[in-house]
Amino acid sequence: MGLFKKLWAVIARETSIIRRRPIYLLGSVAVMAFCSIFFLSFFQQGLPHDLPIGIVDNDQSWVSREFARNLDATQLGKTVKYDTFQEAREDMMKGKLTSICVIPENMYSDILSNRQPEFTYYLNGLYFVGGALAYKDILTLVNLANGAVKREVLRARGYNDNAIMGMIQPLNIDVHQIGNAYTNYGYYLTNVMLPGMLEMIVIIILIYSLGAEMKYRTSRHLMNITDNSITIALTGKLIVFTALFTVLGVIMEFLLYHWMHFPITGSVWNMIINVFLLILASEGIAIFIIGCLPVTRLALSVGALYSVMGFSLSGFTLPIEAMPSYIQGLAAAFPLRHYYLFYVQEVIFGSGFAGWWPQVLAMLAFVFLPLPILGRLKNAYIRLNFPKE
Protein backbone atom coordinates (compact mmCIF):
# COMPACT_ATOMS: atom_id res chain seq x y z
CA MET A 1 0.00 0.00 0.00
CA GLY A 2 1.39 3.41 -0.97
CA LEU A 3 2.00 6.28 1.41
CA PHE A 4 -1.08 8.27 0.38
CA LYS A 5 -3.32 5.20 0.53
CA LYS A 6 -2.15 4.50 4.07
CA LEU A 7 -2.68 8.11 5.03
CA TRP A 8 -6.14 8.15 3.49
CA ALA A 9 -7.03 4.90 5.28
CA VAL A 10 -6.11 6.48 8.64
CA ILE A 11 -8.11 9.63 7.81
CA ALA A 12 -11.17 7.57 6.83
CA ARG A 13 -10.82 5.45 9.97
CA GLU A 14 -10.54 8.49 12.25
CA THR A 15 -13.50 10.21 10.61
CA SER A 16 -15.57 7.07 11.14
CA ILE A 17 -14.56 6.94 14.82
CA ILE A 18 -15.56 10.58 15.36
CA ARG A 19 -18.90 9.94 13.67
CA ARG A 20 -19.60 6.85 15.79
CA ARG A 21 -18.49 8.35 19.13
CA PRO A 22 -20.39 11.55 20.04
CA ILE A 23 -17.88 12.39 22.78
CA TYR A 24 -15.51 13.96 20.25
CA LEU A 25 -18.02 16.46 18.86
CA LEU A 26 -19.61 17.05 22.26
CA GLY A 27 -16.20 17.66 23.81
CA SER A 28 -15.10 20.07 21.08
CA VAL A 29 -17.95 21.73 19.17
CA ALA A 30 -20.53 21.67 21.96
CA VAL A 31 -18.10 22.80 24.68
CA MET A 32 -16.70 25.60 22.51
CA ALA A 33 -20.22 26.78 21.60
CA PHE A 34 -21.25 26.76 25.28
CA CYS A 35 -18.14 28.70 26.35
CA SER A 36 -18.65 31.29 23.59
CA ILE A 37 -22.28 31.86 24.51
CA PHE A 38 -21.47 31.95 28.23
CA PHE A 39 -18.59 34.42 28.12
CA LEU A 40 -20.07 36.71 25.47
CA SER A 41 -23.41 36.93 27.27
CA PHE A 42 -21.88 37.13 30.77
CA PHE A 43 -19.73 40.12 29.79
CA GLN A 44 -22.31 41.66 27.48
CA GLN A 45 -22.54 44.84 29.57
CA GLY A 46 -18.75 45.19 29.66
CA LEU A 47 -18.65 46.17 33.33
CA PRO A 48 -20.73 45.25 36.38
CA HIS A 49 -23.45 47.83 36.97
CA ASP A 50 -25.93 48.84 39.66
CA LEU A 51 -23.83 47.30 42.42
CA PRO A 52 -25.51 48.08 45.78
CA ILE A 53 -23.54 50.59 47.86
CA GLY A 54 -24.81 51.47 51.34
CA ILE A 55 -24.86 55.12 52.40
CA VAL A 56 -25.06 56.15 56.07
CA ASP A 57 -25.44 59.95 55.95
CA ASN A 58 -24.88 61.40 59.41
CA ASP A 59 -24.27 64.91 58.07
CA GLN A 60 -27.33 65.64 55.87
CA SER A 61 -25.60 68.66 54.30
CA TRP A 62 -25.69 69.62 50.64
CA VAL A 63 -22.22 68.13 50.21
CA SER A 64 -23.25 64.70 51.58
CA ARG A 65 -26.48 64.68 49.57
CA GLU A 66 -24.61 65.67 46.40
CA PHE A 67 -22.08 62.90 47.03
CA ALA A 68 -24.84 60.29 47.34
CA ARG A 69 -26.57 61.53 44.17
CA ASN A 70 -23.34 61.47 42.15
CA LEU A 71 -22.48 57.98 43.38
CA ASP A 72 -25.93 56.74 42.41
CA ALA A 73 -25.58 58.35 38.96
CA THR A 74 -22.48 56.29 38.09
CA GLN A 75 -22.87 53.19 35.91
CA LEU A 76 -21.42 51.02 38.65
CA GLY A 77 -23.24 52.12 41.79
CA LYS A 78 -26.78 52.01 43.07
CA THR A 79 -26.97 53.64 46.49
CA VAL A 80 -29.05 52.22 49.32
CA LYS A 81 -29.59 54.64 52.23
CA TYR A 82 -29.49 53.49 55.86
CA ASP A 83 -30.21 55.31 59.09
CA THR A 84 -27.54 53.51 61.11
CA PHE A 85 -24.27 51.77 60.36
CA GLN A 86 -25.47 48.63 62.16
CA GLU A 87 -28.27 48.13 59.63
CA ALA A 88 -25.88 48.54 56.71
CA ARG A 89 -23.35 46.19 58.33
CA GLU A 90 -25.96 43.45 58.73
CA ASP A 91 -26.89 43.70 55.04
CA MET A 92 -23.23 43.56 54.02
CA MET A 93 -22.75 40.42 56.11
CA LYS A 94 -25.71 38.91 54.24
CA GLY A 95 -24.05 39.72 50.91
CA LYS A 96 -26.53 42.41 49.93
CA LEU A 97 -23.94 45.22 49.70
CA THR A 98 -20.56 45.52 48.02
CA SER A 99 -19.50 48.50 50.15
CA ILE A 100 -20.64 50.96 52.81
CA CYS A 101 -19.91 54.70 52.98
CA VAL A 102 -20.24 56.37 56.38
CA ILE A 103 -20.46 60.16 56.17
CA PRO A 104 -19.55 61.67 59.59
CA GLU A 105 -21.60 64.22 61.50
CA ASN A 106 -20.82 67.88 60.91
CA MET A 107 -18.64 66.97 57.93
CA TYR A 108 -19.45 70.15 56.01
CA SER A 109 -18.87 72.48 58.94
CA ASP A 110 -15.65 70.69 59.84
CA ILE A 111 -14.39 71.12 56.27
CA LEU A 112 -15.15 74.84 56.39
CA SER A 113 -13.30 75.05 59.69
CA ASN A 114 -10.30 73.09 58.37
CA ARG A 115 -10.80 70.28 60.92
CA GLN A 116 -10.40 67.40 58.40
CA PRO A 117 -13.41 65.15 59.07
CA GLU A 118 -12.89 61.41 58.70
CA PHE A 119 -14.80 59.81 55.82
CA THR A 120 -15.11 56.03 56.35
CA TYR A 121 -15.98 53.32 53.84
CA TYR A 122 -16.01 49.53 54.03
CA LEU A 123 -15.49 47.13 51.12
CA ASN A 124 -16.76 43.57 50.84
CA GLY A 125 -13.65 41.57 49.95
CA LEU A 126 -15.70 38.49 49.02
CA TYR A 127 -16.68 40.22 45.78
CA PHE A 128 -13.24 41.10 44.43
CA VAL A 129 -14.25 42.79 41.17
CA GLY A 130 -17.26 44.58 42.63
CA GLY A 131 -15.32 45.70 45.69
CA ALA A 132 -12.37 46.96 43.65
CA LEU A 133 -14.58 48.91 41.25
CA ALA A 134 -16.66 50.33 44.11
CA TYR A 135 -13.44 51.46 45.78
CA LYS A 136 -12.37 53.23 42.61
CA ASP A 137 -15.69 55.08 42.21
CA ILE A 138 -15.95 56.01 45.88
CA LEU A 139 -12.38 57.35 46.01
CA THR A 140 -12.97 59.38 42.85
CA LEU A 141 -16.17 60.92 44.19
CA VAL A 142 -14.59 61.68 47.59
CA ASN A 143 -11.87 63.65 45.79
CA LEU A 144 -14.48 65.42 43.69
CA ALA A 145 -16.54 66.31 46.77
CA ASN A 146 -13.41 67.59 48.47
CA GLY A 147 -12.64 69.71 45.42
CA ALA A 148 -16.19 71.06 45.28
CA VAL A 149 -16.01 72.26 48.89
CA LYS A 150 -12.60 73.85 48.36
CA ARG A 151 -13.93 75.60 45.28
CA GLU A 152 -16.81 77.16 47.25
CA VAL A 153 -14.46 78.28 50.02
CA LEU A 154 -12.03 79.87 47.56
CA ARG A 155 -14.86 81.54 45.68
CA ALA A 156 -16.01 83.09 48.95
CA ARG A 157 -12.49 84.44 49.41
CA GLY A 158 -12.63 86.17 46.03
CA TYR A 159 -10.54 83.87 43.79
CA ASN A 160 -11.57 83.45 40.17
CA ASP A 161 -12.32 80.01 38.69
CA ASN A 162 -9.04 79.73 36.77
CA ALA A 163 -7.00 80.35 39.90
CA ILE A 164 -9.21 77.99 41.89
CA MET A 165 -8.73 75.09 39.44
CA GLY A 166 -4.98 75.64 39.54
CA MET A 167 -5.05 75.26 43.33
CA ILE A 168 -7.44 72.29 43.45
CA GLN A 169 -5.93 70.36 40.55
CA PRO A 170 -2.39 71.53 39.77
CA LEU A 171 -1.87 68.65 37.31
CA ASN A 172 -4.45 67.70 34.69
CA ILE A 173 -4.18 63.96 33.98
CA ASP A 174 -4.87 62.90 30.37
CA VAL A 175 -5.59 59.14 30.37
CA HIS A 176 -5.51 56.99 27.21
CA GLN A 177 -6.55 53.37 27.75
CA ILE A 178 -4.96 51.73 24.72
CA GLY A 179 -6.94 48.90 23.17
CA ASN A 180 -9.82 49.11 25.66
CA ALA A 181 -11.02 52.67 25.93
CA TYR A 182 -14.29 51.65 27.58
CA THR A 183 -12.62 49.51 30.29
CA ASN A 184 -14.75 46.64 29.05
CA TYR A 185 -14.15 43.42 30.95
CA GLY A 186 -15.48 41.47 27.98
CA TYR A 187 -12.72 42.82 25.74
CA TYR A 188 -10.17 42.22 28.45
CA LEU A 189 -11.03 38.63 29.39
CA THR A 190 -12.83 37.00 26.46
CA ASN A 191 -9.99 37.65 24.01
CA VAL A 192 -7.84 35.17 25.93
CA MET A 193 -10.39 33.03 27.79
CA LEU A 194 -11.92 31.59 24.61
CA PRO A 195 -8.55 30.71 22.98
CA GLY A 196 -7.53 29.22 26.32
CA MET A 197 -10.64 27.04 26.30
CA LEU A 198 -9.83 26.01 22.73
CA GLU A 199 -6.30 25.06 23.79
CA MET A 200 -7.72 22.94 26.62
CA ILE A 201 -10.16 21.23 24.24
CA VAL A 202 -7.37 20.44 21.76
CA ILE A 203 -5.11 18.93 24.43
CA ILE A 204 -7.78 16.87 26.18
CA ILE A 205 -9.56 15.60 23.05
CA LEU A 206 -6.32 14.62 21.33
CA ILE A 207 -4.96 12.90 24.43
CA TYR A 208 -8.22 10.97 24.72
CA SER A 209 -8.17 10.01 21.03
CA LEU A 210 -4.59 8.73 21.20
CA GLY A 211 -5.13 7.05 24.55
CA ALA A 212 -8.39 5.41 23.47
CA GLU A 213 -6.45 3.41 20.89
CA MET A 214 -4.63 1.71 23.75
CA LYS A 215 -7.55 1.72 26.18
CA TYR A 216 -9.81 -0.14 23.73
CA ARG A 217 -6.87 -2.15 22.29
CA THR A 218 -7.37 -0.86 18.73
CA SER A 219 -3.87 0.55 18.36
CA ARG A 220 -2.50 -2.61 16.74
CA HIS A 221 -5.14 -2.34 14.03
CA LEU A 222 -4.06 1.24 13.42
CA MET A 223 -0.41 0.24 13.21
CA ASN A 224 -1.23 -2.61 10.81
CA ILE A 225 -2.89 -0.12 8.45
CA THR A 226 0.27 2.00 8.39
CA ASP A 227 2.79 -0.89 8.36
CA ASN A 228 3.88 0.03 11.90
CA SER A 229 4.60 3.67 10.96
CA ILE A 230 3.76 5.86 13.95
CA THR A 231 4.44 8.95 11.82
CA ILE A 232 1.75 8.08 9.26
CA ALA A 233 -0.67 7.09 12.02
CA LEU A 234 -0.24 10.40 13.86
CA THR A 235 -0.30 12.44 10.65
CA GLY A 236 -3.62 10.90 9.56
CA LYS A 237 -5.17 11.52 12.96
CA LEU A 238 -3.84 15.07 13.15
CA ILE A 239 -5.19 15.98 9.71
CA VAL A 240 -8.72 15.19 10.87
CA PHE A 241 -8.47 16.87 14.26
CA THR A 242 -6.52 19.88 12.99
CA ALA A 243 -9.24 20.52 10.41
CA LEU A 244 -11.93 20.31 13.12
CA PHE A 245 -10.10 22.55 15.58
CA THR A 246 -9.13 25.06 12.88
CA VAL A 247 -12.76 25.48 11.87
CA LEU A 248 -13.63 26.15 15.53
CA GLY A 249 -10.74 28.63 15.82
CA VAL A 250 -11.69 30.54 12.66
CA ILE A 251 -15.32 30.79 13.81
CA MET A 252 -14.10 32.03 17.21
CA GLU A 253 -11.91 34.77 15.69
CA PHE A 254 -14.63 36.00 13.35
CA LEU A 255 -17.13 35.87 16.21
CA LEU A 256 -14.94 38.13 18.34
CA TYR A 257 -13.63 40.62 15.79
CA HIS A 258 -16.28 40.61 13.07
CA TRP A 259 -19.68 39.76 14.50
CA MET A 260 -19.13 41.05 18.06
CA HIS A 261 -16.96 43.98 16.85
CA PHE A 262 -14.25 43.61 19.47
CA PRO A 263 -11.65 46.36 18.88
CA ILE A 264 -8.71 45.24 16.75
CA THR A 265 -5.95 47.45 15.35
CA GLY A 266 -4.40 44.83 13.10
CA SER A 267 -5.95 42.17 10.86
CA VAL A 268 -8.31 39.34 11.78
CA TRP A 269 -6.47 37.15 9.26
CA ASN A 270 -3.29 37.47 11.28
CA MET A 271 -5.24 36.39 14.36
CA ILE A 272 -6.39 33.32 12.42
CA ILE A 273 -2.69 32.52 11.88
CA ASN A 274 -2.26 32.97 15.63
CA VAL A 275 -5.03 30.55 16.54
CA PHE A 276 -3.80 28.00 13.96
CA LEU A 277 -0.34 28.10 15.54
CA LEU A 278 -1.95 27.70 18.97
CA ILE A 279 -3.74 24.57 17.74
CA LEU A 280 -0.53 23.08 16.32
CA ALA A 281 1.38 23.84 19.52
CA SER A 282 -1.39 22.33 21.67
CA GLU A 283 -1.38 19.18 19.54
CA GLY A 284 2.37 18.87 20.06
CA ILE A 285 1.84 19.15 23.82
CA ALA A 286 -0.92 16.50 23.74
CA ILE A 287 1.22 13.98 21.82
CA PHE A 288 4.15 14.61 24.15
CA ILE A 289 2.02 13.99 27.27
CA ILE A 290 0.42 10.76 26.02
CA GLY A 291 3.81 9.57 24.74
CA CYS A 292 5.46 10.12 28.12
CA LEU A 293 2.47 8.72 30.05
CA PRO A 294 0.73 6.09 27.88
CA VAL A 295 -2.11 5.67 30.41
CA THR A 296 -5.23 7.53 29.34
CA ARG A 297 -6.50 8.46 32.79
CA LEU A 298 -3.15 9.76 33.99
CA ALA A 299 -2.39 11.59 30.74
CA LEU A 300 -5.80 13.30 30.80
CA SER A 301 -5.18 14.48 34.37
CA VAL A 302 -1.78 15.93 33.46
CA GLY A 303 -3.19 17.53 30.30
CA ALA A 304 -6.03 19.18 32.21
CA LEU A 305 -3.64 20.49 34.89
CA TYR A 306 -1.26 21.81 32.25
CA SER A 307 -4.10 23.57 30.40
CA VAL A 308 -5.44 25.24 33.54
CA MET A 309 -1.97 26.46 34.54
CA GLY A 310 -1.72 28.09 31.11
CA PHE A 311 -4.44 30.58 32.06
CA SER A 312 -2.51 31.79 35.11
CA LEU A 313 0.86 31.92 33.34
CA SER A 314 -0.30 33.55 30.12
CA GLY A 315 -0.01 37.00 31.71
CA PHE A 316 -3.42 38.45 30.83
CA THR A 317 -4.64 38.59 34.45
CA LEU A 318 -1.38 39.26 36.31
CA PRO A 319 1.66 40.55 34.40
CA ILE A 320 4.42 37.95 34.14
CA GLU A 321 6.93 40.70 34.95
CA ALA A 322 5.37 40.99 38.42
CA MET A 323 5.92 37.29 39.16
CA PRO A 324 9.10 35.71 40.58
CA SER A 325 11.90 35.21 38.07
CA TYR A 326 11.62 31.41 38.02
CA ILE A 327 7.91 31.70 37.21
CA GLN A 328 8.66 34.11 34.38
CA GLY A 329 10.84 31.48 32.73
CA LEU A 330 8.23 28.77 33.28
CA ALA A 331 5.59 30.84 31.47
CA ALA A 332 7.39 30.27 28.16
CA ALA A 333 6.45 26.57 28.39
CA PHE A 334 2.78 27.34 27.71
CA PRO A 335 1.46 28.04 24.17
CA LEU A 336 -1.24 30.34 25.55
CA ARG A 337 1.47 32.72 26.78
CA HIS A 338 2.78 33.10 23.24
CA TYR A 339 -0.75 33.44 21.86
CA TYR A 340 -1.32 36.30 24.29
CA LEU A 341 1.90 38.08 23.27
CA PHE A 342 0.93 37.65 19.60
CA TYR A 343 -2.53 39.07 20.43
CA VAL A 344 -1.04 42.13 22.16
CA GLN A 345 1.17 42.95 19.18
CA GLU A 346 -1.55 42.42 16.56
CA VAL A 347 -4.83 43.44 18.20
CA ILE A 348 -3.65 46.27 20.45
CA PHE A 349 -0.62 47.69 18.64
CA GLY A 350 -1.18 46.42 15.09
CA SER A 351 2.54 45.91 14.63
CA GLY A 352 2.21 43.06 12.11
CA PHE A 353 4.86 40.42 11.44
CA ALA A 354 7.65 42.59 12.85
CA GLY A 355 5.98 42.48 16.26
CA TRP A 356 4.92 38.85 16.59
CA TRP A 357 7.48 36.77 14.66
CA PRO A 358 9.21 35.58 17.90
CA GLN A 359 5.89 34.10 19.04
CA VAL A 360 5.56 32.25 15.72
CA LEU A 361 8.92 30.57 16.28
CA ALA A 362 8.07 29.78 19.89
CA MET A 363 4.76 28.09 18.99
CA LEU A 364 6.34 26.19 16.10
CA ALA A 365 8.91 24.82 18.55
CA PHE A 366 6.09 22.97 20.35
CA VAL A 367 5.36 21.10 17.09
CA PHE A 368 8.72 19.32 17.36
CA LEU A 369 8.28 18.47 21.03
CA PRO A 370 6.87 14.93 20.39
CA LEU A 371 9.89 13.79 18.31
CA PRO A 372 11.87 12.28 21.24
CA ILE A 373 8.91 10.15 22.43
CA LEU A 374 7.60 8.80 19.11
CA GLY A 375 9.48 5.52 19.63
CA ARG A 376 7.99 5.10 23.10
CA LEU A 377 4.49 5.77 21.79
CA LYS A 378 5.02 3.30 18.93
CA ASN A 379 6.09 0.57 21.34
CA ALA A 380 3.08 1.26 23.53
CA TYR A 381 0.77 1.02 20.51
CA ILE A 382 2.25 -2.26 19.28
CA ARG A 383 3.02 -4.08 22.54
CA LEU A 384 0.30 -2.56 24.75
CA ASN A 385 2.80 -2.94 27.61
CA PHE A 386 1.57 -0.19 29.87
CA PRO A 387 -0.29 -0.26 33.23
CA LYS A 388 -3.92 -1.26 32.62
CA GLU A 389 -6.66 0.99 33.96
Side-chain angles (χ1 to χ4, degrees):
M1 187 184 294
L3 173 63
F4 290 103
K5 287 185 178 180
K6 296 176 187 177
L7 194 59
W8 179 253
V10 176
I11 293 173
R13 177 180 180 275
E14 197 64 28
T15 305
S16 176
I17 292 174
I18 292 175
R19 188 172 60 250
R20 286 186 284 108
R21 295 180 184 172
I23 188 172
Y24 291 105
L25 294 180
L26 287 176
S28 56
V29 178
V31 171
M32 198 64 197
F34 171 80
C35 292
S36 299
I37 295 172
F38 175 79
F39 285 112
L40 292 175
S41 59
F42 186 75
F43 294 111
Q44 185 177 8
Q45 300 295 330
L47 277 175
H49 60 90
D50 292 339
L51 296 177
I53 300 175
I55 295 288
V56 182
D57 189 355
N58 296 321
D59 185 38
Q60 297 295 331
S61 66
W62 72 269
V63 174
S64 63
R65 292 193 297 270
E66 185 71 16
F67 173 83
R69 283 194 296 268
N70 289 337
L71 187 59
D72 188 67
T74 62
Q75 177 187 359
L76 172 71
K78 181 181 181 181
T79 57
V80 182
K81 295 185 178 180
Y82 293 90
D83 295 328
T84 64
F85 171 73
Q86 185 62 30
E87 295 176 1
R89 182 175 178 271
E90 290 176 358
D91 278 358
M92 175 176 274
M93 293 177 66
K94 295 176 182 177
K96 296 181 179 180
L97 297 176
T98 59
S99 57
I100 301 174
C101 299
V102 180
I103 302 176
E105 295 182 8
N106 304 317
M107 181 185 71
Y108 182 53
S109 59
D110 287 345
I111 291 174
L112 295 179
S113 303
N114 295 321
R115 284 195 289 264
Q116 291 185 322
E118 184 174 325
F119 183 96
T120 308
Y121 53 88
Y122 302 83
L123 300 177
N124 191 340
L126 293 176
Y127 304 105
F128 177 76
V129 174
L133 293 176
Y135 169 77
K136 177 183 176 181
D137 271 18
I138 292 170
L139 190 62
T140 300
L141 288 173
V142 166
N143 290 329
L144 290 176
N146 183 39
V149 173
K150 287 184 178 179
R151 184 187 60 189
E152 296 302 319
V153 171
L154 292 173
R155 279 178 177 174
R157 293 179 180 178
Y159 291 94
N160 59 47
D161 286 347
N162 290 334
I164 291 172
M165 291 308 298
M167 297 177 185
I168 295 176
Q169 190 177 23
L171 294 176
N172 188 23
I173 301 174
D174 187 14
V175 178
H176 297 272
Q177 299 184 114
I178 300 174
N180 194 356
Y182 303 101
T183 319
N184 187 310
Y185 269 65
Y187 298 162
Y188 170 61
L189 293 175
T190 311
N191 273 308
V192 183
M193 288 295 293
L194 285 183
M197 293 304 301
L198 179 61
E199 179 198 40
M200 181 182 294
I201 289 170
V202 172
I203 291 175
I204 292 178
I205 291 294
L206 191 55
I207 287 177
Y208 177 79
S209 175
L210 296 173
E213 299 285 355
M214 295 179 285
K215 178 180 176 65
Y216 298 112
R217 309 184 72 84
T218 58
S219 58
R220 287 176 177 171
H221 175 258
L222 174 62
M223 297 306 291
N224 288 334
I225 293 176
T226 62
D227 290 338
N228 290 336
S229 174
I230 189 66
T231 304
I232 297 176
L234 288 178
T235 303
K237 277 180 165 290
L238 289 179
I239 287 175
V240 177
F241 282 106
T242 303
L244 173 62
F245 297 140
T246 301
V247 170
L248 294 178
V250 170
I251 292 174
M252 178 191 70
E253 297 295 341
F254 274 101
L255 177 65
L256 293 176
Y257 303 115
H258 183 70
W259 292 301
M260 298 302 295
H261 301 290
F262 276 36
I264 177 171
T265 306
S267 169
V268 68
W269 299 106
N270 288 339
M271 288 304 296
I272 290 175
I273 295 174
N274 191 14
V275 78
F276 180 70
L277 292 171
L278 177 67
I279 291 168
L280 294 181
S282 301
E283 290 174 344
I285 292 291
I287 298 172
F288 180 78
I289 292 174
I290 192 63
C292 292
L293 303 168
V295 181
T296 307
R297 181 182 63 239
L298 183 58
L300 284 173
S301 300
V302 173
L305 177 62
Y306 176 87
S307 302
V308 171
M309 288 179 62
F311 287 98
S312 300
L313 295 177
S314 63
F316 80 103
T317 52
L318 178 67
I320 296 297
E321 294 75 14
M323 298 182 183
S325 57
Y326 61 91
I327 297 294
Q328 296 181 29
L330 183 62
F334 294 85
L336 192 60
R337 169 62 177 168
H338 303 288
Y339 177 93
Y340 172 70
L341 294 176
F342 190 122
Y343 152 81
V344 169
Q345 293 296 327
E346 184 64 27
V347 173
I348 297 179
F349 298 117
S351 57
F353 182 77
W356 43 254
W357 69 265
Q359 278 62 58
V360 173
L361 297 179
M363 283 193 275
L364 287 177
F366 288 97
V367 176
F368 301 97
L369 189 61
L371 293 180
I373 54 85
L374 288 182
R376 176 179 172 83
L377 184 60
K378 178 180 177 179
N379 290 333
Y381 266 31
I382 295 174
R383 299 176 183 177
L384 294 175
N385 57 342
F386 54 89
K388 302 299 186 291
E389 298 173 276

